[in-house]
Amino acid sequence: FFFSSRRRHTRCSGVSWARRCVQETGTWGQYIIVILIDKKMFYILLTLIIVVSCQEPPIWPDEWEALFVEQSFTESEGATLGQYHYSNKKNAEVIIRHDGQFNSYCKSVHQNESTPCIHVVRDEKRYLYFPDLKDCCYCCQGEGCG
């Protein structure tokens, strides 16, 4: 049980006590001061958190595309430019890499070849197309693949 009296064991009460702790120790008491004195800021932050958490999540468009730079830190370090195209309507995505040697899927088919590689994913089935080599293959299917 916690027992408390009206008079503390110090000459001061509440905020003054915390202020004195800061002056004496200069460490943990600083955080107590912020909490005890700045109740107004606490309520502002609390209100902000509630407002932000009550907002609806953003709705992605049915189709979109983006450019990217992909950096690889595996045994074959390097970077490549690419494009990502997504269609929710068609349940498909196309990922174009200007150099497939830095992607694990692409290099599993054509190891250490600096050639463009295009991933076509539809209904959780992934196909790889290498336009410069005029080569296409089925890659994989299922969770983690599509």
Side-chain angles (χ1 to χ4, degrees):
F1 294 114
F2 177 75
F3 296 97
S4 176
S5 65
R6 288 187 68 165
R7 181 166 168 89
R8 298 202 179 262
H9 298 289
T10 63
R11 293 184 303 257
C12 312
S13 65
V15 174
S16 298
W17 174 80
R19 190 174 290 135
R20 201 175 97 227
C21 285
V22 170
Q23 291 172 354
E24 291 174 2
T25 62
T27 57
W28 66 272
Q30 293 170 352
Y31 300 109
I32 292 175
I33 285 269
V34 171
I35 292 169
L36 292 177
I37 290 178
D38 228 350
K39 286 183 181 179
K40 186 175 184 180
M41 182 58 85
F42 170 76
Y43 290 119
I44 291 171
L45 287 173
L46 181 63
T47 304
L48 181 64
I49 290 169
I50 291 170
V51 167
V52 170
S53 65
C54 290
Q55 292 192 5
E56 292 292 321
I59 297 172
W60 288 83
D62 285 334
E63 295 183 336
W64 56 275
E65 58 188 49
L67 301 175
F68 66 86
V69 176
E70 183 176 48
Q71 183 74 36
S72 173
F73 296 102
T74 60
E75 63 274 355
S76 57
E77 287 190 30
T80 187
L81 299 174
Q83 303 167 15
Y84 185 87
H85 303 268
Y86 177 78
S87 173
N88 189 40
K89 293 177 183 178
K90 299 174 184 174
N91 193 22
E93 61 187 61
V94 175
I95 306 166
I96 303 168
R97 289 181 171 83
H98 295 250
D99 189 349
Q101 71 176 331
F102 305 113
N103 177 261
S104 60
Y105 290 116
C106 298
K107 74 179 177 183
S108 70
V109 178
H110 291 286
Q111 293 181 348
N112 301 322
E113 288 191 49
S114 181
T115 184
C117 177
I118 300 173
H119 296 233
V120 178
V121 182
R122 177 110 194 235
D123 299 322
E124 294 189 12
K125 295 178 184 171
R126 182 179 300 266
Y127 300 88
L128 300 177
Y129 174 59
F130 301 89
D132 290 357
L133 304 174
K134 295 183 178 31
D135 185 25
C136 182
C137 64
Y138 171 78
C139 181
C140 55
Q141 177 179 352
E143 191 174 322
C145 184

